[in-house]
Amino acid sequence: DRFFTVEVVNSLAVKYEKAAEAHSHGDLMEAEKLYKEILEMSEYFLPAHLNLGMIYRQRGENKLAIERFRHVLEVAPFGEIGQIAKANLEALRGF
C-alpha cells in the first residue's frame, strides 16, 4: 500500500520561463545565455529564436536579429509566431 509521487518537469519550459523573466526585467545578457542554452537543447524551439532576435534588435545588432527572424519564418511562416517574426523583419528592413 505504498504510493509515490513522480514529478515530471520539462527542463526546456523551465529554462524558457527563466529566460523570459530575465528578458522582461532587462537582464539581456542572462536572457541571451539562457535562450542559447535552450537552442542547444532543442534547435527547433522557435520562441527562443524569436526572443533572441528581439534581444539582438534591442541591442541594435540588426544582422543577427534578421537571421533569427528569417529562421522563424522559414520554419513557421504562418500563425502567431510567424506574424511576430514578419512584423519585426518589416520594422528592421522594410520587407
Side-chain angles (χ1 to χ4, degrees):
D1 292 344
R2 291 190 176 199
F3 292 95
F4 61 92
T5 303
V6 176
E7 183 176 334
V8 178
V9 177
N10 183 336
S11 60
L12 196 64
V14 170
K15 194 173 289 266
Y16 180 75
E17 286 178 25
K18 288 179 183 176
E21 185 176 326
H23 194 171
S24 69
H25 286 86
D27 190 353
L28 301 183
M29 290 182 68
E30 178 66 13
E32 178 183 15
K33 179 183 136 257
L34 290 169
Y35 289 136
K36 286 181 176 181
E37 288 176 10
I38 290 166
L39 293 174
E40 286 177 12
M41 295 167 70
S42 173
E43 67 181 275
Y44 298 105
F45 195 79
L46 293 181
H49 281 286
L50 183 68
N51 289 350
L52 198 52
M54 289 181 185
I55 287 175
Y56 293 147
R57 183 175 175 203
Q58 287 175 293
R59 293 196 309 215
E61 299 176 43
N62 293 346
K63 184 178 178 183
L64 292 173
I66 289 168
E67 288 173 9
R68 294 297 172 165
F69 297 138
R70 281 187 175 161
H71 176 78
V72 171
L73 282 173
E74 286 173 8
V75 177
F78 306 106
E80 184 178 350
I81 198 162
Q83 290 175 348
I84 294 169
K86 184 177 180 183
N88 276 282
L89 272 175
E90 288 173 349
L92 284 169
R93 299 277 306 246
F95 283 102

